[in-house]
Amino acid sequence: MKTKHMTIGVAMSDFYGSHPNAWRSEETNPLTYINIDEQIKYAKIAENGGLDYIFMPDRVFLHLGFTGIVNFPIDSIVQLSAIAAHTKHIGLIPTLSTSFNEPYTIARQLRALDLISKGRVGWQVVPSFEPDAFANYGQSVPNSRDKYERLHEVVQITQALWGSWKKEAGEPNQETGVFLNNEYIQPINLQGKYVGARGPLQAPPSLQGQPILVMPAASNSGIQPAGMYADAIIGMPNTIEESVRLREIFRSAAQDAGRNADEIKFMTFFTFGLGKTHREALDRRRAMENPEDLPERLRHLSMLLGVPLSESAVDEPLTSNQLRALQQNPHVNKSTQAIRLAKEGYSPLDIIAHGVLDNTPGVVGTAEDVADYLQEWFEAGAADSFVIIADRLSDALSDFVNQVIPVLQERGLRPENYMGNTLRENMNLDYQLGVDPRILNESDQIK
């Protein structure tokens, strides 16, 4: 059954925010990307607001944005281990590629983090695709078939390793002198075409059994494994209609794998910026713009509007001639929003301030505006969970938990407190330990 509560997490990759100039703001420490104390501070803000998880995307090569900033963590496992020691409730979801990591390493690291955090860990399961990433491991990019066959093996063996130590092994008993019941700690002896492991793992299950699996809403070869293994799917749909279609695709894939469709949660990204009024929110965003970036930003906006824009008139509404010439770009969804805003009389700078150049859908406005957006998507069946992306993390995250969360709670869309102690409980997911026996036919099993 779909719960009445949406779940919400926060994306933390560069620890600055989605706006390309967020790192240059006075409110932001430019060294946050390597300063664990700053990262812990943001994690605590998110936890104090009752957010369900920190989602940490990653890439295993140096990736610079167009402003030259580092876009991904130095090491998500290490960073979240430090954060785990300073938090008690919020979930922790790092990213580990199945293309380079061995199942035993994945199983061991995530089991350790899950134990340290008392059952608050997830794993974003991704196969890498970037040539730069493969080059860092001395490899060339494999074809899609090999990439996903390896993913199947890595996930199955990792989960088998997690299940190699059963709860029934018990705990050390000083009175009886029995440390553990070894009958419930057994090797798995699995060897596939790409990876293998003997096992067993070196540590017991966590309070939630094992980490939840989050997988991207990939197309084609990615749909079937997501339906088999994922507890949650994370996607980047641009509209409610697109999100509903994507959610149904993966719910159907879960059913095809022998699972219940409600066992798979659909997560979408959402970018936001806040102000006490709509005008204040726009002015806040405008203050983040830098003059040297304006030519490129205007070229991008011109592409959305289908008309040329002049730097000399960036703070004036479009002319009547420009409005008559507006032409939607069929390849960019935000073109519709940009054209609507132009027709409403907003200047190019104000249109940009609405977030039309952001990579994900979102809202720049008041707390009620943001809550309305999330409620509409949730009640339309477009998303079970939202991964929020602050335009500037240094102030927007605290504004979100102090302003938006109370509105959602008043509307009955968010609980007053955490629903449980583990990430599975807070995401309304069942306890799991080992490979789900429903999903594997005899021909699918690794021997």
Side-chain angles (χ1 to χ4, degrees), residues 345-362:
Y346 286 101
S347 69
L349 284 181
D350 277 347
I351 296 172
I352 291 173
H354 277 86
V356 298
L357 304 186
D358 293 343
N359 291 326
T360 56

Side-chain angles (χ1 to χ4, degrees), residues 158-177:
T158 297
Q159 290 191 322
L161 284 165
W162 284 333
S164 66
W165 188 313
K166 304 289 191 299
K167 289 192 300 182
E168 290 82 358
E171 297 178 347
N173 189 318
Q174 291 177 316
E175 292 185 3
T176 64

Side-chain angles (χ1 to χ4, degrees), residues 32 115 159:
T32 299
L115 288 168
Q159 290 191 322

Side-chain angles (χ1 to χ4, degrees), residues 77 92-98 101-117 119-126 151-169 184-190 196-215 228-232 423-424 429-436 439:
I77 292 287
L92 311 166
I93 306 178
T95 299
L96 287 171
S97 171
T98 59
N101 294 288
E102 293 293 317
Y104 195 88
T105 301
I106 296 173
R108 189 171 186 245
Q109 287 183 329
L110 292 179
R111 170 61 58 83
L113 184 57
D114 211 19
L115 288 168
I116 290 170
S117 66
R120 293 188 280 131
V121 174
W123 168 28
Q124 185 186 206
V125 182
V126 295
L151 180 146
H152 277 285
E153 292 185 6
V154 169
V155 172
Q156 287 184 31
I157 294 175
T158 297
Q159 290 191 322
L161 284 165
W162 284 333
S164 66
W165 188 313
K166 304 289 191 299
K167 289 192 300 182
E168 290 82 358
Y184 296 97
I185 306 172
Q186 296 294 326
I188 61 171
N189 294 317
L190 295 177
R198 184 187 66 178
L201 210 54
Q202 297 164 286
S206 76
L207 293 175
Q208 67 174 353
Q210 65 194 34
I212 74 166
L213 266 57
V214 179
M215 299 181 72
M228 292 175 65
Y229 310 119
D231 297 295
L423 180 57
R424 286 185 177 274
L429 294 166
D430 292 335
Y431 180 96
Q432 183 179 343
L433 186 62
V435 181
D436 187 337
I439 66 172

Side-chain angles (χ1 to χ4, degrees), residues 49 53 110 116 126 146 149 277 303 318:
Y53 54 86
L110 292 179
I116 290 170
V126 295
D146 287 338
E149 284 182 355
T277 65
M303 180 188 69
L318 271 63

